[in-house]
Amino acid sequence: METDSNIPERDGHGQKTDVTGGHVPVLLKEAIDFLAVKRGGTYLDATVGLGGHSLEIAKRLGGPGHLIGFDKDPAALEMARKRLRPVVGRSSLVVSEPISEPLATNDQRPDLDWPTITLLHRSFAELANDQRPATIDGILADLGVSSLQLTDPARGFSFQAEGPLDMRMNPMSGETAEQVVNHIDERKLADVIYEFGEERRSRRIARAIVRSRPIRTTKQLVEVVSAAARSMKWKHERIHPATRTFQALRIFVNRELDDLKALLEAAPRVLKPGGRLVVISFHSLEDRIVKDAMREGAKDKHFRLLTKKPVMASEDEIDRNPRSRSAKMRAAERV
């Protein structure tokens, strides 16, 4: 896990929400450049989020193109619908009211040079089940938690505001973080915190959590974890002591690493020859999986690596959007 940032929490999508409701997608220019969007192609945004990357892809696809967006979070999909619907007679950057999915086809709006857009409420782990082999020109995956999720206390992702211990990206299914914290045994809980948070104090923290049950809110969990972590008297801690535990629970609840592995396994099958895979990750667990999968794909002659080393945000971007500091982007091309 990367802990070199001194900001209290990182936004998985690198999106910085402003007062107008807009956001700044991380590594936007670099991601679009490596994706090499072709007019009329079929592209998949595996984590559509608030639609920032998708908007730039759609602008390049034009009327003959097709953009497919996946997201586990129905609230994110609703906001993406707004962002991705152009208003007739105005710039494609201007969006209108929410619309039903899928978005209108080009035949229904001949005056707009805008692609067909299909938004799907599901995990990108289902990619192989949804797409026929060799039908996609490019896949973009911007991993992690979005600003929409982080800034809503009711979602339970943030340790900076009190809320229920939920942490589900899809709030309609699966175990909550509260259920995990209160019901799995101490050894399993310690393993989760160590494996997914790379937290060396995992056993002490798990013991403190079990002794403090029931824990119902983010604030309660922060207090328990902070007390246990600080009792170790570690020096030079540059992140909040609850950071790694919250990350671990979020990854476990949402099966994030399993889903990422499924996406990377499916990508070579669904990409056309010459199709691009671009992945933006935000901590070392994700980046290691992406790096290994792309290198293995290159060894098996499925991929040609486009990035020998990960692409990082520039100092200018980090100044504008501090959460981009921990972003790493890797890209490969289907052979």
Side-chain angles (χ1 to χ4, degrees), residues 73 75 148-149 152-157 164 166-171:
D73 190 338
L148 175 68
Q149 294 158 341
D152 182 359
R155 302 297 297 273
F157 287 97
D166 193 316
M167 297 195 193
R168 293 173 298 172
M169 291 179 180
N170 181 0

Side-chain angles (χ1 to χ4, degrees), residues 36-47:
V37 179
K38 298 181 293 188
R39 178 177 173 81
T42 299
Y43 287 79
L44 191 144
D45 187 342
T47 49

Side-chain angles (χ1 to χ4, degrees), residues 142-172:
D142 177 15
L143 306 175
V145 62
S146 75
S147 54
L148 175 68
Q149 294 158 341
L150 266 182
T151 55
D152 182 359
R155 302 297 297 273
F157 287 97
S158 175
F159 49 74
Q160 293 184 314
E162 184 167 15
L165 268 176
D166 193 316
M167 297 195 193
R168 293 173 298 172
M169 291 179 180
N170 181 0
M172 296 184 287

Side-chain angles (χ1 to χ4, degrees), residues 34 287 290-292 294-295 298 304-312 328-332:
F34 273 101
D287 181 60
V290 175
K291 177 181 67 175
D292 290 348
M294 287 187 176
R295 287 183 176 176
R304 177 175 69 90
L305 297 181
L306 302 176
T307 51
K308 292 184 179 180
K309 294 182 178 180
V311 176
M312 312 282 283
K328 290 185 175 182
M329 187 183 75
R330 296 182 186 270

Side-chain angles (χ1 to χ4, degrees), residues 172-193:
M172 296 184 287
S173 68
E175 275 190 315
T176 65
E178 180 184 337
Q179 290 171 304
V180 173
V181 161
N182 288 305
H183 298 298
I184 67 174
D185 65 56
E186 182 179 324
R187 176 175 291 183
K188 174 64 174 176
L189 182 59
D191 289 345
V192 167
I193 295 170

Side-chain angles (χ1 to χ4, degrees), residues 22-312:
H23 65 279
V24 182
V26 73
L27 292 170
L28 178 59
K29 181 182 185 303
E30 294 86 348
I32 297 300
D33 286 348
F34 273 101
L35 204 57
V37 179
K38 298 181 293 188
R39 178 177 173 81
T42 299
Y43 287 79
L44 191 144
D45 187 342
T47 49
V48 72
L50 303 184
H53 287 110
S54 285
L55 180 61
E56 293 302 314
I57 295 170
K59 286 161 61 179
R60 290 158 175 78
L61 282 176
H66 186 192
L67 173 63
I68 303 165
F70 283 28
D71 208 289
K72 292 180 180 180
D73 190 338
L77 286 175
E78 190 60 33
M79 295 187 73
R81 287 191 187 99
K82 297 178 184 180
R83 189 171 182 83
L84 294 171
R85 171 75 176 266
V87 175
V88 176
R90 300 179 67 182
S91 164
S92 63
L93 289 173
V94 181
V95 297
S96 68
E97 70 283 346
I99 53 181
S100 60
E101 68 177 336
L103 299 178
T105 67
N106 198 48
D107 292 339
Q108 296 169 289
R109 40 177 177 63
D111 52 340
L112 292 178
D113 188 28
W114 200 246
T116 299
I117 299 176
T118 306
L119 299 179
L120 300 171
H121 178 216
R122 62 194 64 175
S123 167
F124 54 64
E126 299 177 58
L127 174 62
N129 299 327
D130 283 321
Q131 305 301 321
R132 297 190 307 276
T135 54
I136 304 295
D137 292 291
I139 299 170
L140 172 65
D142 177 15
L143 306 175
V145 62
S146 75
S147 54
L148 175 68
Q149 294 158 341
L150 266 182
T151 55
D152 182 359
R155 302 297 297 273
F157 287 97
S158 175
F159 49 74
Q160 293 184 314
E162 184 167 15
L165 268 176
D166 193 316
M167 297 195 193
R168 293 173 298 172
M169 291 179 180
N170 181 0
M172 296 184 287
S173 68
E175 275 190 315
T176 65
E178 180 184 337
Q179 290 171 304
V180 173
V181 161
N182 288 305
H183 298 298
I184 67 174
D185 65 56
E186 182 179 324
R187 176 175 291 183
K188 174 64 174 176
L189 182 59
D191 289 345
V192 167
I193 295 170
Y194 181 78
E195 181 180 355
F196 299 126
E198 297 184 302
E199 172 59 80
R200 287 175 283 179
R201 299 164 289 193
S202 60
R203 297 197 183 284
R204 179 182 292 269
I205 290 170
R207 189 177 310 120
I209 288 172
V210 169
R211 289 175 177 174
S212 302
R213 287 172 173 169
I215 298 173
R216 304 299 184 197
T217 69
T218 54
K219 182 180 178 182
Q220 285 179 280
L221 182 60
V222 167
E223 290 172 351
V224 171
V225 173
S226 297
R230 286 174 177 147
S231 68
M232 298 282 288
K233 298 182 179 179
W234 282 20
K235 297 180 180 180
H236 311 301
E237 186 83 271
R238 293 191 292 176
I239 61 171
H240 191 285
T243 299
R244 297 184 184 93
T245 298
F246 268 65
Q247 173 185 295
L249 290 171
R250 190 202 82 216
I251 290 173
F252 181 74
V253 164
N254 294 290
R255 297 177 54 85
E256 291 178 36
L257 301 187
D258 288 341
D259 284 4
L260 175 58
K261 290 172 184 175
L263 170 69
L264 295 168
E265 182 179 344
R269 298 201 299 274
V270 301
L271 282 170
K272 298 176 182 177
R276 300 284 184 91
L277 172 65
V278 178
V279 184
I280 303 170
S281 62
F282 289 84
H283 55 74
S284 61
L285 294 173
E286 292 171 339
D287 181 60
R288 193 177 307 133
I289 291 170
V290 175
K291 177 181 67 175
D292 290 348
M294 287 187 176
R295 287 183 176 176
E296 192 65 28
K299 187 186 301 182
D300 294 338
K301 302 191 185 305
H302 297 316
F303 282 133
R304 177 175 69 90
L305 297 181
L306 302 176
T307 51
K308 292 184 179 180
K309 294 182 178 180
V311 176
M312 312 282 283

